[in-house]
């Protein structure tokens, strides 16, 4: 066989079989032992976190995008249903570092879990639009029958008074970055909130004593986890331990 033809056939074979390692994208080797657990928000599912999961996987992280029945149980029960199985998946892959990225209620689940448990591998956490001080919407609407039907017992626990669960959990003692939204697409609900807000939670209510960094972005509560700038900030915090602050933010 002609030598040139033989070389061409060999090259085509390796290209089609995916064995050309020089062309295949490689994950960052520093991240192969790092696992990121994603916790979605109230009345959402893990599908809402897929764009974020995809980008994190592209960076080389192992991602556990957990689903939990957010409208069916109180927060303490949800935390026990969601977090231990997610940790087990990370540990099954021999993760040396475990991070969390949460949306809304997911952040309160993590705070609740850490209130009574420790996670030795816990490294960094990013919370997206968390009601860390509760939401005034709950204060005003929780006694209306449609609210309980739409949001379940966990939603009813997210008020702002001193006895509400988010207030009782206290300061955080882990490496936390918080991203708040400043754009609302629900102007009716925004009437119950101090400005600025994202339509569900005020910027001020996302903050918590002990957090390492904070940034506010022009995004709304339902879409903050899918926003490309948010995702870029999440990745920056997980890798650098801080957000990428620019002069106008």
């Amino acid at each position: 066989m002609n030598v040139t033809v033989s070389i061409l056939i060999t090259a085509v074979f390796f290209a089609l079989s995916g064995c050309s390692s020089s062309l295949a994208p490689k994950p960052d080797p520093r991240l192969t032992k790092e696992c990121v657990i994603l916790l979605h928000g109230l009345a959402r599912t893990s599908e809402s976190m897929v764009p974020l999961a995809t980008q994190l996987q592209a960076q080389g992280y192992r991602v556990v995008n957990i689903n939990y029945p957010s409208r069916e149980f109180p927060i303490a029960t949800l935390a026990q249903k969601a977090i231990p199985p997610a940790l087990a998946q990370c540990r099954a892959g021999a993760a040396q570092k475990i991070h969390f990225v949460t949306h809304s209620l997911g952040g309160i689940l993590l705070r609740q879990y850490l209130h009574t448990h420790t996670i030795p591998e816990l490294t960094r956490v990013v919370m997206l639009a968390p009601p860390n001080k509760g939401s005034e919407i709950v204060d005003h609407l929780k006694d209306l029958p449609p609210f309980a039907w739409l949001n379940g017992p966990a939603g009813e626990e997210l008020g702002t008074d001193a006895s509400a669960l988010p207030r009782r959990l206290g300061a955080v003692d882990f490496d936390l970055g918080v991203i708040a939204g400043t754009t609302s697409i629900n102007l009716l609900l925004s009437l119950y909130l101090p400005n600025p807000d994202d339509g569900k939670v005020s910027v001020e209510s996302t903050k918590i004593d002990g957090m390492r960094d904070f940034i506010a972005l022009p995004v709304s509560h339902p879409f903050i986890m899918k926003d490309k700038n948010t995702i870029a900030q999440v990745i920056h915090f997980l890798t650098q331990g801080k957000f990428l602050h620019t002069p106008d933010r």
Side-chain angles (χ1 to χ4, degrees):
M1 181 183 292
N2 183 283
V3 175
T4 302
V5 173
S6 177
I7 292 173
L8 288 173
I9 291 173
T10 303
V12 170
F13 172 78
F14 279 105
L16 292 177
S17 64
C19 294
S20 180
S21 60
S22 63
L23 298 178
K26 297 179 180 179
D28 187 332
R30 296 171 299 173
L31 305 180
T32 55
K33 293 300 182 181
E34 299 191 29
C35 185
V36 183
I37 296 173
L38 305 182
L39 295 175
H40 63 79
L42 181 62
R44 306 301 292 263
T45 70
S46 57
E47 283 294 313
S48 66
M49 307 293 275
V50 167
L52 176 57
T54 300
Q55 293 301 314
L56 289 169
Q57 288 167 339
Q59 294 293 316
Y61 291 101
R62 172 176 170 78
V63 177
V64 176
N65 187 10
I66 202 75
N67 204 49
Y68 65 93
S70 63
R71 297 168 57 193
E72 297 182 18
F73 301 98
I75 289 170
T77 303
L78 292 174
Q80 284 299 128
K81 286 182 172 293
I83 295 176
L87 291 172
Q89 289 189 52
C90 285
R91 289 165 177 161
Q96 297 172 359
K97 296 181 179 181
I98 297 178
H99 311 286
F100 282 80
V101 182
T102 68
H103 176 227
S104 193
L105 173 66
I108 309 305
L109 262 61
L110 180 59
R111 287 179 61 202
Q112 168 65 41
Y113 185 82
L114 291 173
H115 193 63
T116 54
H117 299 78
T118 59
I119 302 174
E121 311 95 326
L122 183 63
T123 306
R124 289 176 179 146
V125 176
V126 179
M127 294 183 179
L128 310 177
N132 276 324
K133 297 175 185 171
S135 173
E136 290 83 358
I137 292 172
V138 178
D139 298 337
H140 286 91
L141 302 182
K142 69 179 180 180
D143 293 329
L144 300 179
F147 183 90
W149 180 78
L150 288 169
N151 299 285
E156 294 179 296
E157 294 182 282
L158 297 176
T160 65
D161 62 80
S163 63
L165 187 140
R167 294 279 191 170
R168 290 188 280 111
L169 293 175
V172 301
D173 59 358
F174 49 88
D175 197 354
L176 170 65
V178 173
I179 302 179
T182 61
T183 300
S184 175
I185 60 172
N186 194 323
L187 299 182
L188 180 61
L189 291 182
S190 289
L191 293 175
Y192 296 106
L193 297 168
N195 288 324
D197 67 90
D198 65 4
K200 293 290 183 68
V201 181
S202 70
V203 168
E204 186 59 33
S205 285
T206 66
K207 299 174 183 178
I208 184 72
D209 290 342
M211 64 183 179
R212 174 184 287 263
D213 203 356
F214 172 86
I215 194 168
L217 301 177
V219 290
S220 64
H221 194 90
F223 299 111
I224 189 170
M225 75 298 259
K226 300 178 181 181
D227 176 74
K228 65 179 182 179
N229 292 325
T230 299
I231 293 173
Q233 291 287 358
V234 167
I235 292 170
H236 197 273
F237 188 90
L238 292 182
T239 57
Q240 304 295 326
K242 60 183 178 181
F243 294 123
L244 182 61
H245 293 273
T246 55
D248 58 341
R249 285 179 182 172

